[in-house]
Amino acid sequence: MRIQLATEPGRPEHPNEDWASTAVPASGLGGVLVLLDGVTPPPGDDGCVHSVPWFTARLGGSLVELSASRRDLTLTEVLAASIRRTADAHRSSCDLSHVRTPQATVVLARWDAERVEHLVLSDSVLLLEGPDGTVCPVLDDRLDRLPPGSLASEAVTDARARNKEGGFFTAAADPDVASRAVTGETPRAGVRALAALTDGASRWTETFGEGDWTAAVGLLREEGPQGLIDRVRKLERADTDRAFLRRGKRHDDATAVLAEL
Ligand SMILES: [Zn+2]
């Protein structure tokens, strides 16, 4: 088993709000992969005295611990318990009902000798590569399916769609959101490698169209996660007329993990 991970902030002066970790047990057969993309709040009140990195470190740490130590829990149950535990850590000091309370996208994968389990919530990407090189993307595309114009501004998005029925869901303070995640499992023999990307890294495919998901896994294997991020940064710098980025951030926090089982 070989695991590679790279992360880079979108702006050097701003803390990286992505969070990623992997864990492997001594037996060598199993492991856990966690990748979060913390949602940057708009300037002003978010009801919380903590930072996004504080939130992602709490949530991510709990996801690693519970998914590795509590094999009796499903990944949905692990996410719900981790959201609850993180909320309890600041329930007394912060307004957790605020629509912009700290929140994150989630990719969670766990494997052992028999199977690979996965969970994806919001717009980070998990890629499962089969023994023949076929890549199956696991995507929660609720954000992409919202009608055009419904995301006209951040305020409108918050009011109409963020963690609301018919909209899209992130891991914030409500454990029930865990049931909205895309989940599944694959026989271990059917997975040669897993890759996880935050949207700052999946831009290589989704924004710039440099290659499909199979090509993205190929690039991760050949040049490593840092190689993929370096290519994204180069494409972003070259897009001076915003033909690809349009109104999006020039650079976003970018994290990529490749686990070759
Ligand atoms: Zn707080």
Side-chain angles (χ1 to χ4, degrees):
M1 194 183 315
R2 185 168 106 118
I3 299 178
Q4 302 177 72
L5 189 162
T7 187
E8 196 170 292
R11 291 179 291 156
E13 72 280 9
H14 194 267
N16 189 338
E17 293 170 343
D18 287 357
W19 193 94
S21 180
T22 60
V24 287
S27 71
L29 283 173
V32 167
L33 183 163
V34 177
L35 174 123
L36 309 176
D37 180 353
V39 177
T40 308
D45 180 38
D46 61 2
C48 178
V49 301
H50 303 95
S51 64
V52 174
W54 175 91
F55 174 81
T56 50
R58 290 265 177 173
L59 182 66
S62 179
L63 288 170
V64 171
E65 184 210 326
L66 292 178
S67 54
S69 66
R70 294 290 306 276
R71 299 238 160 207
D72 55 313
L73 299 180
T74 65
L75 295 188
T76 301
E77 290 167 338
V78 165
L79 176 58
S82 297
I83 291 172
R84 189 177 299 109
R85 189 192 273 186
T86 305
D88 287 345
H90 64 148
R91 197 180 299 287
S92 61
S93 59
C94 305
D95 173 14
L96 303 189
S97 67
H98 197 293
V99 70
R100 280 294 188 156
T101 190
Q103 53 202 272
T105 75
V106 179
V107 171
L108 177 57
R110 172 169 69 182
W111 59 94
D112 60 19
E114 274 80 48
R115 59 191 179 145
V116 177
E117 300 163 87
H118 67 258
L119 177 152
V120 174
L121 184 67
S122 198
D123 61 1
S124 293
V125 176
L126 177 68
L127 304 173
L128 302 173
E129 186 191 43
D132 62 353
T134 307
V135 172
C136 175
V138 183
L139 308 168
D140 172 5
D141 63 354
R142 285 189 187 89
L143 197 49
D144 296 332
R145 284 192 270 123
L146 294 176
S150 65
L151 305 176
S153 72
E154 292 208 59
V156 172
T157 305
D158 288 349
R160 293 187 188 163
R162 183 176 297 281
N163 287 319
K164 291 187 172 63
E165 197 62 50
F168 64 96
F169 296 90
T170 57
D174 176 9
D176 291 346
V177 159
S179 66
R180 310 280 187 162
V182 176
T183 58
E185 67 175 68
T186 312
R188 164 70 181 251
V191 181
R192 180 168 81 182
L194 301 96
L197 307 171
T198 58
D199 64 345
S202 64
R203 283 178 170 198
W204 188 79
T205 290
E206 294 185 308
T207 302
F208 293 103
E210 289 285 295
D212 60 12
W213 297 122
T214 303
V217 173
L219 178 60
L220 286 167
R221 184 173 273 116
E222 279 171 32
E223 300 185 15
Q226 188 62 50
L228 172 74
I229 294 171
D230 290 346
R231 282 174 177 257
V232 169
R233 293 292 183 246
K234 199 171 169 188
L235 290 161
E236 289 165 343
R237 285 193 297 272
D239 188 26
T240 49
D241 57 359
R242 295 200 162 253
F244 298 98
L245 290 167
R246 295 194 283 275
R247 291 192 307 162
K249 293 180 214 172
R250 164 133 318 221
H251 304 298
D252 197 1
D253 299 338
T255 303
V257 185
L258 176 66
E260 295 169 279
L261 307 189

